[in-house]
Amino acid sequence: MKHYSGKKAVILGGTHGIGLATAKLLAEGSAEVLVTGRSKTNVETAGKGERRIRAIQSDAADLRDIDALAKIVTEHFGQIDFLHVNIGIAELEPAAEVTEASYDRQFGINTKGAFFSVQRLAPLIADGGAIVFTSSVADHGGTPGMIVYSATKAAIISFTSGFAAAFLPRGIRVNAVSPGFIKTPTHGVAGLSGEERAGFESLGDQITPMGRNGTADEVARAVLFLAFDATYTTGSKLSVDGGLGQRITRPQV
Ligand code: NAP
């Protein structure tokens, strides 16, 4: 299948989990992909043996890194067709335990990083191209241990609308996926022990209407649908959450 032949994509936060799954699907479809991550180890292992995936160390919370990345993308690709803004961390803590540092970390990566990455990389997207943000089922409603993270993702939904409007004249569509519990190396949560991750996964199985965690591949397919197939869709959010954010419950009888 050569569905993405000739396409060029950049995935911010693509060295493992949902971003890497998206990169692999694109590469299987013959696209050329550049992924970013912070950790040197993850950058070195991402896409190993995948000749169409190149990984770059770049911290989305650092505007100098974003500017340096824009130069690399220009040299490597010239123009791109698709930008996936997938970076994100969650620090689980009740409001009383939130520190200035944890607040700044989450907003610095998830929100500030996402905004300035789009501001500085959008000039490299070809007219008619696409941007997809990764939000979260936590972008609406209230969860006591995720107040700050939820707010960073609510901002992503606002960015989706704002950038969708701003890029209408260029024909660049801007959408978001909103995952629920997804089985990735971190489960999207920073600093969990193996035991805590298992507990998190089991919670996902219990409270998700479909009765299970989703896979990174299921989110990646939704991302690529929005990026390449949903040609009459912009400013939208596609939930990939097994029904978790949809006010539906399992039948009791
Ligand atoms: P993951 O496996 O932890 O991957 C996150 C990726 O983002 C990694 O490549 C990571 O690189 C990169 N990253 C993090 N901070 C970065 C920064 N400052 N600069 C550049 N790259 C950075 O996460 P995931 O579970 O696939 O989640 C991906 C996205 O989905 C996130 O936005 C997350 O909030 C969202 N999400 C996940 C879930 C879930 O259950 N998994 C649910 C809802 C939403 P390093 O490892 O090198 O830091």
Side-chain angles (χ1 to χ4, degrees):
M1 203 256 298
K2 300 285 180 197
H3 190 54
Y4 308 116
S5 187
K7 300 294 186 194
K8 293 169 184 169
V10 172
I11 302 179
L12 306 177
T15 54
H16 55 98
I18 292 167
L20 185 57
T22 308
K24 286 186 172 171
L25 277 186
L26 280 165
E28 275 169 27
S30 294
E32 298 293 329
V33 193
L34 194 148
V35 301
T36 69
R38 273 175 316 181
S39 126
K40 194 164 183 279
T41 318
N42 291 342
V43 166
E44 279 167 2
T45 49
K48 225 175 194 169
E50 303 263 0
R51 71 185 167 88
R52 296 182 189 279
I53 300 176
R54 180 177 171 197
I56 302 281
Q57 194 173 14
S58 175
D59 182 354
D62 185 333
L63 267 62
R64 290 162 305 182
D65 272 23
I66 298 176
D67 286 337
L69 178 67
K71 279 196 186 125
I72 293 170
V73 173
T74 307
E75 284 159 17
H76 191 63
F77 281 149
Q79 282 198 311
I80 59 173
D81 302 286
F82 170 45
L83 175 65
H84 183 192
V85 184
N86 181 61
I87 36 166
I89 58 156
E91 300 190 22
L92 298 187
E93 48 197 5
E97 287 172 22
V98 173
T99 61
E100 188 178 5
S102 71
Y103 183 98
D104 285 347
R105 255 193 315 273
Q106 292 175 86
F107 268 93
I109 295 172
N110 302 6
T111 308
K112 181 178 157 195
F115 178 85
F116 285 103
S117 294
V118 172
Q119 181 199 60
R120 292 171 193 210
L121 293 173
L124 304 178
I125 303 175
D127 289 359
I131 298 171
V132 175
F133 288 101
T134 304
S135 181
S136 165
V137 66
D139 62 19
H140 65 287
T143 310
M146 287 192 162
I147 295 178
V148 174
Y149 172 71
S150 294
T152 68
K153 293 298 192 178
I156 288 298
I157 296 305
S158 181
F159 290 167
T160 302
S161 307
F163 281 123
F167 294 141
L168 283 171
R170 296 185 53 203
I172 296 173
R173 293 175 303 100
V174 184
N175 293 290
V177 286
S178 188
F181 282 81
I182 308 297
K183 223 175 150 171
T184 65
T186 64
H187 271 278
V189 181
L192 291 186
S193 66
E195 200 181 328
E196 287 168 331
R197 257 198 314 280
F200 202 67
E201 184 178 338
S202 149
L203 175 68
D205 290 344
Q206 283 165 38
I207 68 172
T208 300
M210 284 180 70
R212 66 172 176 88
N213 281 241
T215 66
D217 192 63
E218 286 176 308
V219 183
R221 280 187 270 130
V223 168
L224 295 183
F225 166 74
L226 289 172
F228 294 105
D229 298 325
T231 51
Y232 195 49
T233 302
T234 195
S236 285
K237 175 174 99 171
L238 176 55
S239 294
V240 191
D241 63 2
L244 184 59
Q246 313 310 320
R247 294 169 181 263
I248 59 172
T249 49
R250 292 175 80 77
Q252 299 302 308
V253 285

